[in-house]
Amino acid sequence: KWTYNTGKTIVSSPATSPDGTVYVHVDGKLVAIRSDGTLKWQCATSVSGSYNYSSPVIARDGTIYIGSVDKKIYAITSNGTKKWTFQTGNYVDSSAAIGADGTIYIGSGDRKLYAINPDGSMKWSYLTGGYIDSSAAVASDGTIYVGSADGKLYALNSLTGALEWSF
């Protein structure tokens, strides 16, 4: 149908919105490409030349959430404007998961899983025994599952961040 040359290596997965816009994280920016293959906009998420492994995730309201090697989580509107950033203690290679209430769950190299409210404030964080490159999953009952470099899978309560169990 079409190709779009980003000119750089792409190491994350793309996401698509209902209007057909394709979002991809490449070379320190989130790139929005229209369904006809033309550039819609770009928004910086770190320095040029950065390999960003976090894939974009789109919320119901159209907000795009993405982590970055600059130790931040970004909330970007569908028109390319930054809504907010959230500072973590290390790189963010994992991709976000969004709960039914809009909470954003995302891990970091600082060994924490963060639960972030849609306004960018922290709901809670949970410290694991290793860095988190794994993307979280939200179960139908609200339990949050995430893997860590410590070799464990964690099940966390979505409301409080309390450990339910680990394996």
Side-chain angles (χ1 to χ4, degrees):
K1 191 171 180 179
W2 54 262
T3 60
Y4 183 87
N5 186 0
T6 65
K8 298 290 181 170
T9 301
I10 299 170
V11 293
S12 67
S13 300
T16 58
S17 67
D19 71 358
T21 301
V22 178
Y23 300 98
V24 66
H25 204 193
V26 61
D27 191 34
K29 58 189 168 275
L30 180 64
V31 179
I33 304 163
R34 292 182 188 91
S35 60
D36 66 2
T38 59
L39 179 66
K40 188 172 184 179
W41 51 258
Q42 298 179 29
C43 182
T45 58
S46 63
V47 296
S48 180
S50 298
Y51 284 103
N52 288 292
Y53 293 88
S54 179
S55 298
V57 175
I58 306 167
R60 282 188 217 137
D61 69 356
T63 302
I64 303 110
Y65 297 105
I66 195 155
S68 180
V69 296
D70 69 356
K71 305 177 186 178
K72 293 179 183 171
I73 298 160
Y74 290 83
I76 302 170
T77 67
S78 58
N79 66 8
T81 305
K82 290 179 189 172
K83 283 174 87 168
W84 51 259
T85 61
F86 180 89
Q87 185 74 45
T88 70
N90 209 329
Y91 66 89
V92 181
D93 281 349
S94 71
S95 301
I98 303 172
D101 65 353
T103 302
I104 301 101
Y105 301 97
I106 192 165
S108 173
D110 64 6
R111 305 180 313 161
K112 291 181 182 177
L113 179 73
Y114 292 93
I116 305 167
N117 293 307
D119 66 2
S121 62
M122 186 168 66
K123 187 173 185 177
W124 52 258
S125 67
Y126 183 85
L127 182 65
T128 69
Y131 60 85
I132 300 176
D133 286 347
S134 165
S135 298
V138 182
S140 59
D141 68 356
T143 302
I144 309 304
Y145 298 97
V146 68
S148 173
D150 64 2
K152 293 180 181 176
L153 175 67
Y154 291 85
L156 304 172
N157 180 291
S158 61
L159 298 177
T160 65
L163 179 66
E164 293 184 3
W165 54 260
S166 65
F167 177 81

